[in-house]
Amino acid sequence: WLEVLGCGVMRQKILQNGDLHEHTGWAFGLGLERLAMVLFKVPDIRLFWSTDPRFTKQFAGLLDSGEKRMTFQPFSKYPMCYKDVSFWHHEGLHDNDVSEIVREVAGDLAEDVKLIDSFTHPKSGKQSKAFRICYRSMERTLSNEEVDEIQGNLCSELVARLGVELR
């Protein structure tokens, strides 16, 4: 069973606002979003009215790409917790080295890792990078204490494995 066509009587206030006091209005809908729910495996119809980029980016350029099949990738409804880490590093450190350690330490709780700052000290020539990590669970709200513990473990691993100096 899949409801795709719908209709209903418009609220009289809408017609009155359009200066149509003596009329009755009907609204009709095709329910294309319900077909899209099935096609893309979207679990909640309200997502189609969302402006959340985690949803909209999944469908951006879909028609242009010629992609025949695409499955919606679920994202968490729970709040995120951002933590930053900055450090002095040696020549040749790659951002992917940091991202890899973040994923190993935090697992699926690390939703995103972004480089937010990079500079070289003008006098000492030392290089520094700062990363922002977005922690979020798919199942529950993370406590600040829990994220602080993960962040502490991450910092220890960065120092031990990459030889960085935390700032």
Side-chain angles (χ1 to χ4, degrees):
W1 166 253
L2 180 65
E3 178 186 335
V4 288
L5 298 175
C7 68
V9 177
M10 293 173 61
R11 292 185 185 267
Q12 197 60 37
K13 181 74 173 153
I14 295 171
L15 295 170
Q16 290 170 354
N17 288 345
D19 205 27
L20 300 170
H21 300 282
E22 303 299 322
H23 296 339
T24 301
W26 290 85
F28 296 91
L30 295 178
L32 294 177
E33 62 276 326
R34 295 187 187 277
L35 293 173
M37 285 178 71
V38 173
L39 180 64
F40 300 119
K41 296 180 176 46
V42 175
D44 187 340
I45 197 167
R46 295 172 295 181
L47 287 169
F48 288 105
W49 303 302
S50 168
T51 57
D52 188 325
R54 294 176 297 166
F55 181 77
T56 57
K57 282 183 181 177
Q58 291 189 45
F59 296 94
L62 183 64
L63 295 176
D64 297 335
S65 71
E67 188 73 30
K68 300 268 191 272
R69 283 289 195 194
M70 190 280 280
T71 301
F72 168 69
Q73 298 298 312
F75 52 85
S76 179
K77 63 182 178 181
Y78 297 100
M80 66 193 88
C81 180
Y82 288 111
K83 295 288 181 180
D84 294 347
V85 60
S86 61
F87 48 79
W88 299 107
H89 65 89
H90 58 79
E91 190 77 34
L93 177 76
H94 197 279
D95 297 350
N96 286 340
D97 297 334
V98 176
S99 295
E100 184 179 315
I101 292 174
V102 169
R103 303 275 183 234
E104 287 176 19
V105 171
D108 290 339
L109 297 180
E111 183 176 281
D112 191 31
V113 181
K114 285 188 179 157
L115 178 68
I116 58 171
D117 188 36
S118 179
F119 76 95
T120 302
H121 192 278
K123 292 183 181 177
S124 69
K126 290 173 75 174
Q127 297 178 334
S128 174
K129 288 189 177 187
F131 289 85
R132 176 158 293 146
I133 301 140
C134 174
Y135 294 98
R136 186 187 334 232
S137 171
M138 292 290 284
E139 291 89 30
R140 60 191 170 77
T141 299
L142 298 173
S143 70
N144 217 19
E145 294 78 17
E146 183 178 10
V147 176
D148 285 344
E149 182 178 338
I150 295 168
Q151 186 76 359
N153 293 339
L154 170 64
C155 290
S156 297
E157 285 296 309
L158 290 171
V159 169
R161 292 172 54 184
L162 299 179
V164 300
E165 179 187 341
L166 297 175
R167 294 183 56 210

